[in-house]
Amino acid sequence: MLSLHQLRCFLAVYERGSLTAAAEALGYAQPSISEQIRGLERSLGLELFTRVGRGVVPTTAADALRPHAERTIAAADEARRAMQG
């Protein structure tokens, strides 16, 4: 099962090319981000990033997931705003 938190972590890693940079941007510890990505990969049965040195490179699966993740996060944010308004 996918969670919004996993998708937010995924997008942060995708955009920054680093688990550490994503963790800093989101205010989490790096192991926490790593666990979210591993859980997402297990849920999907796909590798999303190739670990390279201190960074990561998105796989084709990550490239395919990105627009869906962006739309899902945007829809959740829109729903939250609608309920607050």
Side-chain angles (χ1 to χ4, degrees):
M1 179 154 172
L2 306 180
S3 74
L4 290 175
H5 182 61
Q6 286 176 325
L7 293 178
R8 287 183 201 283
C9 292
F10 163 76
L11 288 173
V13 172
Y14 189 100
E15 291 164 2
R16 289 165 182 82
S18 162
L19 295 165
T20 301
E24 290 172 4
L26 295 173
Y28 294 109
Q30 185 272 335
S32 187
I33 297 297
S34 294
E35 181 55 34
Q36 292 302 312
I37 297 301
R38 278 193 302 274
L40 184 57
E41 289 175 329
R42 276 193 305 272
S43 291
L44 297 172
L46 298 166
E47 186 176 292
L48 296 172
F49 297 99
T50 302
R51 278 70 176 174
V52 180
R54 293 183 160 247
V56 294
V57 176
T59 63
T60 55
D63 291 337
L65 177 60
R66 181 183 181 196
H68 299 286
E70 290 172 336
R71 285 193 301 270
T72 300
I73 297 298
D77 291 344
E78 185 178 328
R80 186 180 308 109
R81 283 191 300 276
M83 294 301 104
Q84 291 172 346

